Structure formats: C-alpha cells, structure tokens
Amino acid sequence: GAAACETARTSIAVGRGVAYVPATGWVVDEPRVEAGTSHGVRQDALSFSIRASEWKGSAREPFERNLRLALRAREPRRAGKEITFTTPTGLAGTAVDVFGDNTLSRLWVAVDAAKGLSIVMVAAGTPEQFRRQEAALQGMVDSVVAGEAP
C-alpha cells in the first residue's frame, strides 16, 4: 500500500549529482520518477517534483520555458510575481506561482552554470493544500544539493 512507499527523512538521488530530502509522510509519486533525471512525491493531491537536466546557456531560458509550459493548461492560468530565492545549500534561482481556478502551481528554477545544470522543481495542488504544506514544500526546496555529477 501507500504506507510502504512512504518516504523516510533520507536524501534521494535525483540524477546528475542532485539530491533532496522528501518531507516526512509524503509518498513516492511513481509517474514522476525517471531514473537519473527526476523524482517526485505527493501528499494527498499535492505533488512535488524535481528534475535535473544538463544545461549550458542563460539562467533565464529554463525558467521562461517552464513558465510557458505551466501557463499552457486546459484552464486559464496567470502567473504571479517572480521572486528570486537562495537555499541554505547555496542553490539560487527564480520562483513563481501560477494560479488557476482552484489550482496553484509553484515553479522553482535554478541554474548552476559551473556544473552545467538546471534544476526545476514544481509543486501543484490547491491553494488550501499549499497553505497547509508550505513548510514541507519549503523544506524540500531547501534540502536540494547539487553535488558533483557521477
């Protein structure tokens, strides 16, 4: 059952040297798991995914591409104000909320130019779920490390 795949507070390797620590009680979201590239967890209908990709270029392009994808949903969506973020582990990038009728998505996009890496994190659910899980989401973002790619 779901309890069997509940995540422990251990670091999960995403790929390309990137790892993160899923929040306690979240379960692995199998469709979002792609070995060496991406990982995802969920809590009820709120999901969090992280993808590591090779990237050589501007820090802006991966952000704009992912924002375009988030806005291209079946329902009308609008983007909130962009904010810059830096995690305790030194990951820096741009985040934005994307609002739907009763949906909220948040994108965090970081580029590590020295490692030729882009890291895209996406949380999606309802505004109410976000309010309840804000600390868990922030904890997962803050736990991301970009080590040396194997």
Side-chain angles (χ1 to χ4, degrees):
C5 358
E6 188 171 298
T7 58
R9 295 276 309 157
T10 53
S11 186
I12 301 278
V14 177
R16 301 191 182 278
V18 174
Y20 82 113
V21 179
T24 304
W26 288 54
V27 297
V28 175
D29 194 0
E30 293 297 343
R32 297 180 194 283
V33 177
E34 193 180 317
T37 304
S38 65
H39 196 270
V41 289
R42 63 187 162 74
Q43 172 75 278
D44 300 322
L46 182 62
S47 65
F48 176 84
S49 65
I50 175 169
R51 173 176 293 273
S53 309
E54 193 176 321
W55 176 251
K56 308 250 187 289
S58 83
R60 192 74 200 154
E61 205 279 332
F63 176 80
E64 287 172 352
R65 181 175 24 136
N66 283 280
L67 178 57
R68 275 196 310 273
L69 288 170
L71 289 169
R72 199 186 299 149
R74 288 186 192 88
E75 63 183 37
R77 289 189 171 181
R78 63 180 179 79
K81 194 167 75 94
E82 292 176 22
I83 57 162
T84 57
F85 70 90
T86 304
T87 69
T89 60
L91 200 65
T94 306
V96 67
D97 285 350
V98 176
F99 302 92
D101 287 341
N102 190 36
T103 62
L104 176 57
S105 299
R106 183 170 298 151
L107 297 178
W108 295 264
V109 180
V111 168
D112 187 326
K115 296 186 175 102
L117 192 63
S118 82
I119 300 168
V120 177
M121 294 162 280
V122 181
T126 66
E128 178 57 33
Q129 290 167 324
F130 266 82
R131 275 194 295 281
R132 283 200 309 266
Q133 296 290 340
E134 191 78 46
L137 291 169
Q138 193 59 53
M140 288 189 280
V141 170
D142 287 348
S143 77
V144 175
V145 291
E148 293 310 311

